[in-house]
Amino acid sequence: MIRGIAIISIGVACLAGCSMAPEYTRPEAPVSATWPTGPAYKNSTSLSGEPAASDLKWSEFFVNPQLQKLIGLALANNRDLRVAALNIERSRAQYQIRRSDLFPKVDADASATFLRLPENFLGTGLPSRLDLYTVGLGISSYELDLFGRVRSLKDQALQQFFATGEARRSVQISLVAEVAANYLMLAADRELLELAKDTLTSQQASYELIRSRNEEGRSSALDLHQAQTRVDSARVDIARFTTFVAQDENALTLVVGSPVPADLLPAALSETLTAVKDLQPGLPSGVLLRRPDILQAENLLKGANANIGAARAAFFPRITLVSSVGFLSDDLGGLFKGGSFIWKVAPQITLPIFNAGSNRANLKVAEVDRDIAVAQYEKAIQTAFREVADALALQGTINDQVAAQQSLTDATSESYRLSQARYEEGLDSYLNVLDSQRSLYGSQQNLISVRLARLTNLVTLYKVLGGGSE
């Protein structure tokens, strides 16, 4: 009995091997084979022996110990990443459902029927009672997948499962980059806050000096009020950067997904200038097609391609099998005695004749969905190319910006020192000192900003090159 069901299952599995889905061909990448060139770009070819970003683990790229611990906390606690992981489990279960449709489902069943017949039903003039007991194994409503409809739906579910896996990788890479970016922003704002506090201390000292000189008649009231403006300006910046630091800490706590220990917070950006490594981009063909978001788009495209096979198979006959073997008796005690064995086979063939064009419309929908998936896949590649090109443009110029800003800061610092000395000697007005102070303070802020831009761009480059997620 069981062996007969197994033989049927094997035979059906052998028959259900075809698929009417069109052969999948990866679309050509609609971008240049090389990265852009020009004044904004430095040499962007991969150096010999340099690993690709997708092969570089995040712990090898983010080398700052505090930042590594924060990323580890985020990977363990971030809710978006948890949702992405749960989506994988959900998609895996959906795939298992579709895959199970390829095999017959064998159920065991037992039943008892008690029937009272009317007086004249058997011609005896007396009411009769009929008892029936059955037990057996059966295959209920199994579709023989001769034209690959069920197999195509299984393939579509499999590609959806693969797509959710790539979506999780994409979320994880974005999460790692977001933690690093928030960490660097907090470091920069803390350094700007300390700079504002140092400036306030310096400005207050200058104000006290001017006030003393004013009381002695050696300085004008204009100088005194100008010095007061610089003090108040520094106080405004302190309040502003204090707010920014608090907001940065809140953002970091949210992305990490748990309270952040104080010893993992950065003190200043100048202490994190070597927190990340430099990267070589490689070639577009070897980089973009390995990004998880592009792999996800390709999986969805393959799924849409497989769905066409299911839509095509709907035009052909659908064969459904119902069968069972077991025992039947009108007496429970004689259920398993000789002569009580029964079997039933009930194949059903459904041939579509008229459905008002719904099958043709479903096929058209499947084909258009495939074309949409192609366009989305190509757009994902174009977007990725633009993101990498933008990061490379900044990478090619940011070091020059940092060097120029450092030189400007050094020059304004010397200018401030000289203007202060000339004022104290009575050779210049205090207005020149204020201008020098303002220029120095601004250049110091800009130096922090361009340093932050350099580090943040490296993080962005790691992300857009499909940086390793492990």
Side-chain angles (χ1 to χ4, degrees), residues 114-374:
F114 307 101
L115 179 65
R116 181 189 183 280
L117 301 177
E119 288 82 351
N120 296 322
F121 189 80
L122 298 179
T124 62
L126 297 174
S128 302
R129 174 175 171 174
L130 181 63
D131 297 344
L132 293 176
Y133 302 92
T134 62
V135 63
L137 297 176
I139 298 175
S140 60
S141 189
Y142 171 66
E143 180 179 345
L144 300 180
D145 195 30
L146 300 180
F147 302 100
R149 189 188 75 87
V150 177
R151 186 170 299 275
S152 294
L153 292 175
K154 184 267 295 183
D155 292 341
Q156 191 271 339
L158 178 61
Q159 294 302 325
Q160 182 68 40
F161 167 61
F162 289 154
T164 55
E166 296 300 336
R168 183 192 180 281
R169 281 187 58 216
S170 183
V171 170
Q172 181 164 326
I173 293 172
S174 297
L175 173 62
V176 170
E178 187 176 1
V179 172
N182 288 350
Y183 178 86
L184 295 172
M185 178 62 73
L186 175 58
D189 284 342
R190 280 191 162 187
E191 187 164 332
L192 287 168
L193 176 58
E194 290 304 314
L195 175 61
K197 289 179 178 179
D198 292 342
T199 300
L200 176 60
T201 300
S202 175
Q203 297 293 349
Q204 284 178 328
S206 297
Y207 173 78
E208 293 299 330
L209 176 62
I210 298 301
R211 189 172 62 84
S212 297
R213 294 168 64 95
N214 178 259
E215 291 174 353
E216 297 172 358
R218 294 188 296 153
S219 178
S220 66
L222 177 60
D223 291 343
L224 181 62
H225 288 298
Q226 288 175 333
Q228 180 66 47
T229 62
R230 299 308 304 158
V231 171
D232 292 338
S233 178
R235 290 172 57 197
V236 169
D237 283 348
I238 289 175
R240 183 161 58 95
F241 290 123
T242 298
T243 300
F244 290 166
V245 167
Q247 292 174 340
D248 293 340
E249 291 175 353
N250 293 336
L252 194 58
T253 298
L254 175 62
V255 72
V256 169
S258 65
V260 179
D263 61 333
L264 297 184
L265 297 177
L269 187 67
S270 57
E271 298 179 3
T272 61
L273 296 181
T274 58
V276 298
K277 289 184 175 181
D278 285 322
L279 283 176
Q280 293 298 326
L283 295 175
S285 59
V287 172
L288 299 182
L289 299 184
R290 299 177 67 179
R291 276 184 36 155
D293 58 332
I294 293 178
L295 292 174
Q296 177 188 2
E298 186 174 13
N299 289 139
L300 294 176
L301 171 57
K302 290 178 179 179
N305 194 71
N307 205 38
I308 293 177
R312 287 177 175 177
F315 287 89
F316 295 87
R318 184 180 301 180
I319 303 176
T320 305
L321 176 65
V322 177
S323 65
S324 65
V325 294
F327 301 93
L328 171 67
S329 175
D330 60 357
D331 179 33
L332 184 60
L335 186 61
F336 296 101
K337 293 182 178 180
S340 63
F341 178 76
I342 61 170
W343 60 267
K344 179 180 71 173
V345 177
Q348 178 181 350
I349 300 178
T350 303
L351 177 65
I353 296 177
F354 176 75
N355 51 35
S358 65
N359 283 346
R360 190 171 300 278
N362 285 331
L363 177 58
K364 182 64 175 179
V365 169
E367 291 173 340
V368 172
D369 284 344
R370 188 267 316 275
D371 294 341
I372 291 174
V374 169

Side-chain angles (χ1 to χ4, degrees), residues 39-162:
Y41 303 92
K42 66 179 182 180
N43 184 13
S44 59
T45 57
S46 182
L47 298 179
S48 176
E50 287 289 328
S54 57
D55 297 329
L56 191 63
K57 296 180 180 179
W58 63 260
S59 57
E60 297 172 347
F61 178 70
F62 301 100
V63 295
N64 181 278
Q66 290 177 305
L67 181 54
Q68 288 179 343
K69 292 179 181 179
L70 280 177
I71 292 174
L73 285 175
L75 295 179
N77 297 296
N78 183 268
R79 280 14 180 217
D80 290 334
L81 191 59
R82 288 186 185 179
V83 170
L86 292 172
N87 282 335
I88 292 179
E89 296 303 316
R90 181 177 183 275
S91 183
R92 180 186 287 113
Q94 288 179 326
Y95 167 67
Q96 291 295 336
I97 293 172
R98 287 297 186 186
R99 184 176 181 274
S100 69
D101 290 339
L102 291 172
F103 303 95
K105 296 178 177 61
V106 180
D107 300 317
D109 63 85
S111 66
T113 302
F114 307 101
L115 179 65
R116 181 189 183 280
L117 301 177
E119 288 82 351
N120 296 322
F121 189 80
L122 298 179
T124 62
L126 297 174
S128 302
R129 174 175 171 174
L130 181 63
D131 297 344
L132 293 176
Y133 302 92
T134 62
V135 63
L137 297 176
I139 298 175
S140 60
S141 189
Y142 171 66
E143 180 179 345
L144 300 180
D145 195 30
L146 300 180
F147 302 100
R149 189 188 75 87
V150 177
R151 186 170 299 275
S152 294
L153 292 175
K154 184 267 295 183
D155 292 341
Q156 191 271 339
L158 178 61
Q159 294 302 325
Q160 182 68 40
F161 167 61
F162 289 154

Side-chain angles (χ1 to χ4, degrees), residues 392-405:
L392 291 176
L394 183 55
Q395 185 190 44
T397 58
I398 191 63
N399 287 334
D400 292 339
Q401 293 183 47
V402 172
Q405 190 62 49

